[in-house]
Amino acid sequence: MHIIDISIPITPDMTVYKDQPDKKPVFKTTRSIEAGDRARETDICLNTHTGTHIDAKSHFLKDGEGISHFPLHHFIGKCRVIDLTSVKEKISENDIRDKEINEGDIILFKTANSLRTKPGFNFDFIYVDKTAAGFLAGKKIKTVGIDSLGIERAQPENETHKTLLSNNIAIIEGLNLAETEEGEYFLCCPPLSLGNLDASPARAVLIKDM
Amino acid sequence: MHIIDISIPITPDMTVYKDQPDKKPVFKTTRSIEAGDRARETDICLNTHTGTHIDAKSHFLKDGEGISHFPLHHFIGKCRVIDLTSVKEKISENDIRDKEINEGDIILFKTANSLRTKPGFNFDFIYVDKTAAGFLAGKKIKTVGIDSLGIERAQPENETHKTLLSNNIAIIEGLNLAETEEGEYFLCCPPLSLGNLDASPARAVLIKDM
């Protein structure tokens, strides 16, 4: 069994959405062996949309449910990584119409985002446009993942988020697929048990040869 | 495939270690559709040892590594739930000597802790004593989990934590095994990618009939 970590490490100086300073995680030591305590403990404070994370319906839908509404099989099960590294600017329906995408699938898009080496937030990240979102909704997939901190930009009405979430499709953002080839895997990416919150950070891994 | 959630929900009023008020998670809304924002977002602040979580070596070992030191196969793979619900006070070597426990195993102990219905922290939780920890270290298991917020109490030298962690055994605390029977499962319980921190909250699930 081979486990591939496709998560972004969570650190106080990690890249955050639009490089906004108030989105940086804060770690605060509360117990320290060096200071004479018997053990070490830390308080962590972070935005629900930090690093590798899952959007709940309530993130963008007025009456949408929180993160624990999605059954866990949206995040644990067979998945397919689709290589779209040749796509420029955005993923449209035309880019995915001929790919193997079926009802109930968990689909992860590997794009040029995963190949970027420049530090800091990429304001020109490859995104999923509304035509692709509509196509995925029509296919009735379960989950879509992408290798950028957002799945959408340049669409003022946020049609991609709204189309996916209102069609019961969970969105995983902030994957790192640099070391992952196109193919079939078993995904393990459960959200924290955060009830009605709008998102959850998650550790995402792919398993090969189970 | 059947997925069983064995995690404790994370909420601001959840039960925390020794009922210490400063250990309660804090959720702060930072963007709200009700307030006119286009989306909802939340900042979450929580102790690394909140609810279902994994202890790193650095939690109790002076020179111990952080949570990302343990390879992910300590948290993802075949595991065995052992029913010890008849055990009183503590799990000792005598209670587990005749159980099937082998090198490289992930072992979860279901105890009377999972059957408790009284709210609040259980100061008399069933724990793993130092003789049992020594036995598990001798067996060279990979990971041990328990259904209490701590794996140890009443041992001022913290021999259980120190024996397990110094023998490369990861500790999962805060499981909820109430609905889980003794047997073989596939565990999926990856920590967040928190680098050198002393622990990580985690979503823990068991998979049956993969």
Side-chain angles (χ1 to χ4, degrees):
Chain A
M1 191 176 79
H2 185 50
I3 300 175
I4 306 162
D5 188 4
I6 54 169
S7 317
I8 298 174
I10 299 171
T11 67
D13 62 356
M14 69 188 294
T15 297
V16 293
Y17 194 68
K18 294 189 177 177
D19 287 333
Q20 295 166 339
D22 63 345
K23 294 246 162 98
K24 296 271 192 189
V26 174
F27 295 170
K28 184 187 166 198
T29 300
T30 56
R31 294 179 73 203
S32 155
I33 292 175
E34 288 71 15
D37 296 314
R38 274 161 46 182
R40 294 185 182 91
E41 292 187 20
T42 310
D43 281 351
I44 57 174
C45 293
L46 68 173
N47 182 283
T48 40
H49 300 263
T50 300
T52 309
H53 69 279
I54 302 161
D55 284 353
K57 292 185 177 183
S58 61
H59 180 39
F60 263 105
L61 304 181
K62 186 167 178 294
D63 298 316
E65 294 93 345
I67 190 65
S68 295
H69 169 77
F70 281 120
L72 285 164
H73 61 75
H74 283 253
F75 312 111
I76 295 168
K78 285 182 192 164
C79 84
R80 186 174 303 112
V81 174
I82 296 179
D83 190 324
L84 297 175
T85 49
S86 62
V87 168
K88 312 284 182 200
E89 191 190 346
K90 62 184 184 178
I91 300 167
S92 299
E93 181 180 354
N94 282 345
D95 300 308
I96 57 175
R97 195 188 289 131
D98 298 331
K99 303 293 184 184
E100 192 187 339
I101 298 176
N102 301 306
E103 183 169 344
D105 277 356
I106 299 173
I107 300 290
L108 310 183
F109 291 134
K110 176 179 181 175
T111 77
N113 297 326
S114 278
L115 310 179
R116 191 172 188 261
T117 54
K118 199 176 157 193
F121 183 74
N122 177 10
F123 284 83
D124 300 316
F125 66 87
I126 311 290
Y127 66 101
V128 174
D129 84 358
K130 59 186 175 186
T131 67
F135 177 78
L136 296 172
K139 286 285 189 180
K140 300 187 181 178
I141 69 166
K142 248 179 349 200
T143 302
V144 60
I146 192 160
D147 51 2
S148 52
L149 286 176
I151 197 168
E152 176 176 27
R153 64 177 175 83
Q155 296 185 152
E157 299 301 320
N158 304 110
E159 293 96 332
T160 293
H161 275 96
K162 289 178 181 173
T163 299
L164 294 171
L165 296 172
S166 65
N167 281 281
N168 210 33
I169 299 172
I171 303 171
I172 308 176
E173 297 172 326
L175 295 171
N176 174 8
L177 297 170
E179 305 297 326
T180 309
E181 293 178 0
E182 180 164 287
E184 309 269 342
Y185 300 87
F186 189 91
L187 174 72
C188 169
C189 177
L192 295 178
S193 190
L194 289 172
N196 65 355
L197 291 196
D198 47 80
S200 175
R203 184 69 170 271
V205 310
L206 295 176
I207 308 174
K208 195 85 183 168
D209 308 321
M210 280 187 90
Chain B
M1 190 177 81
H2 185 50
I3 300 174
I4 306 162
D5 188 4
I6 55 169
S7 316
I8 298 174
I10 300 172
T11 67
D13 61 356
M14 69 189 293
T15 297
V16 293
Y17 194 69
K18 293 190 178 177
D19 288 332
Q20 294 165 339
D22 62 346
K23 295 248 162 95
K24 296 270 192 189
V26 175
F27 295 170
K28 184 187 165 198
T29 300
T30 55
R31 294 179 73 204
S32 154
I33 292 176
E34 288 71 16
D37 296 314
R38 275 161 46 182
R40 293 186 182 91
E41 291 187 19
T42 310
D43 280 352
I44 56 175
C45 293
L46 68 174
N47 183 284
T48 40
H49 300 263
T50 301
T52 309
H53 69 278
I54 302 162
D55 283 354
K57 293 184 177 183
S58 60
H59 181 40
F60 263 105
L61 304 181
K62 185 167 178 293
D63 298 316
E65 295 93 345
I67 190 66
S68 296
H69 169 76
F70 281 121
L72 285 164
H73 61 76
H74 281 253
F75 312 110
I76 295 168
K78 286 181 191 165
C79 84
R80 186 174 304 113
V81 174
I82 296 179
D83 190 325
L84 297 175
T85 48
S86 63
V87 168
K88 312 285 182 201
E89 190 190 346
K90 62 183 183 177
I91 300 167
S92 299
E93 181 180 355
N94 282 345
D95 300 307
I96 57 175
R97 195 188 290 129
D98 299 330
K99 304 291 182 184
E100 192 187 340
I101 298 175
N102 300 306
E103 183 169 345
D105 278 356
I106 299 173
I107 300 289
L108 309 183
F109 290 135
K110 176 179 181 175
T111 77
N113 297 326
S114 280
L115 310 179
R116 191 168 187 262
T117 54
K118 198 175 158 193
F121 183 75
N122 178 9
F123 284 81
D124 300 317
F125 67 86
I126 310 290
Y127 67 101
V128 174
D129 84 358
K130 58 186 177 186
T131 67
F135 177 78
L136 296 173
K139 287 285 188 179
K140 300 186 181 179
I141 68 166
K142 250 181 342 204
T143 302
V144 60
I146 192 162
D147 50 3
S148 52
L149 287 175
I151 196 167
E152 177 176 27
R153 63 177 176 82
Q155 296 185 153
E157 299 301 320
N158 305 108
E159 293 96 332
T160 293
H161 274 97
K162 290 177 179 173
T163 299
L164 294 171
L165 295 172
S166 64
N167 281 281
N168 210 32
I169 300 172
I171 304 171
I172 308 175
E173 297 173 326
L175 295 170
N176 173 8
L177 297 169
E179 306 297 326
T180 309
E181 292 178 1
E182 180 165 288
E184 309 270 340
Y185 301 86
F186 189 92
L187 174 72
C188 170
C189 177
L192 294 178
S193 189
L194 289 172
N196 66 356
L197 290 197
D198 48 79
S200 175
R203 185 69 170 269
V205 309
L206 295 176
I207 307 174
K208 195 85 183 169
D209 307 322
M210 282 188 91

